[in-house]
């Protein structure tokens, strides 16, 4: 995994894990939004909001894909599972209604904000990986905007919001830990 690259020092295992899990997370987000849009269609302001978020997540995923290829980082072996699970989560919450779809977004983005903030703290300790740090910081701001938009769109009015949000956040934390390694 660690090999010489012309414009980068040898890749530390921790950095490879960061890139792998972040790409998996962005991929999962694209699948959640695809599932939501499959159920909701393109009707109403929530669908337009979700479509815009989905487009940003596609851009994030593409940039992590490029970084993985450039740096020789393997994707998570669980990508097929995350594809199905993300789509099912998106479709399932959308079936509960627009507020539940937004509750899903708010919960996921809350965990991603926390995760990206932890990564930025670790990267700041060494001061290396300025390209990765800048990407994570940029994407974290987008994720915060998604969370805030979902809350403004009524996420907290979803049926059983505290339970729904808690379960989704727990699932996100587990997916992060698993995708770092597998």
């Amino acid at each position: 995994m660690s090999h010489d690259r012309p414009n980068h020092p040898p890749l530390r295992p921790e950095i490879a894990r960061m890139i792998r899990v972040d790409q998996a997370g962005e991929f999962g987000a694209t699948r959640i939004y695809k599932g939501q849009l499959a159920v909701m269609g393109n009707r109403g302001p929530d669908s337009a909001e979700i479509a815009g978020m989905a487009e940003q997540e596609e851009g994030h995923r593409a940039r992590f894909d490029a970084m993985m290829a450039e740096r020789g980082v393997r994707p998570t072996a669980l990508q097929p599972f995350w594809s199905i699970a993300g789509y099912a989560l998106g479709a399932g919450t959308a079936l509960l209604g627009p507020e539940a779809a937004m509750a899903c977004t708010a919960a996921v983005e809350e965990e991603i904000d926390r995760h990206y903030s932890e990564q930025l703290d670790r990267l700041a300790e060494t001061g290396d990986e300025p390209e990765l740090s800048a990407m994570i910081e940029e994407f974290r701001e987008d994720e915060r905007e998604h969370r805030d938009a979902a809350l403004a769109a009524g996420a907290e009015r979803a049926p059983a919001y505290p339970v729904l949000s808690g379960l989704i956040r727990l699932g996100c934390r587990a997916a992060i830990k698993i995708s770092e390694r597998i």
Side-chain angles (χ1 to χ4, degrees):
M1 184 179 332
S2 219
H3 55 277
D4 291 327
R5 299 158 299 141
N7 298 325
H8 299 282
L11 196 62
R12 295 191 332 258
E14 179 184 25
I15 300 303
R17 282 193 305 271
M18 284 183 185
I19 295 168
R20 177 175 26 267
V21 73
D22 292 352
Q23 187 276 345
E26 297 296 348
F27 173 74
T30 65
R31 299 298 296 158
I32 290 168
Y33 289 130
K34 281 192 189 312
Q36 288 177 341
L37 290 169
V39 170
M40 298 171 73
N42 57 3
R43 303 174 308 276
D46 291 330
S47 293
E49 185 85 42
I50 290 169
M53 292 177 195
E55 189 175 319
Q56 274 191 317
E57 301 294 1
E58 281 291 345
H60 296 175
R61 184 204 45 80
R63 288 178 59 196
F64 273 119
D65 284 352
M67 183 175 274
M68 288 175 78
E70 173 188 310
R71 296 182 179 208
V73 176
R74 69 166 177 79
T76 176
L78 295 173
Q79 194 129 346
F81 176 76
W82 297 144
S83 177
I84 294 165
Y87 190 90
L89 177 61
T93 55
L95 285 169
L96 295 174
E99 282 115 358
M102 289 300 179
C104 176
T105 294
V108 168
E109 301 300 18
E110 185 66 31
E111 284 305 310
I112 299 306
D113 178 16
R114 184 188 59 76
H115 170 71
Y116 278 166
S117 293
E118 289 172 359
Q119 285 186 336
L120 287 169
D121 289 346
R122 287 197 309 272
L123 290 168
E125 290 171 7
T126 62
D128 57 359
E129 294 294 334
E131 178 187 8
L132 179 59
S133 292
M135 250 173 65
I136 291 172
E137 193 161 349
E138 175 189 340
F139 296 170
R140 180 183 65 177
E141 293 311 308
D142 290 343
E143 310 305 357
R144 287 175 172 175
E145 288 175 15
H146 297 172
R147 177 198 59 215
D148 294 347
L151 291 170
E156 294 170 312
R157 292 191 307 268
Y161 174 76
V163 173
L164 181 63
S165 177
L167 288 173
I168 292 169
R169 290 181 67 186
L170 179 64
C172 286
R173 286 191 296 272
I176 288 167
K177 290 297 177 203
I178 293 166
S179 292
E180 284 176 337
R181 305 285 179 186
I182 298 176

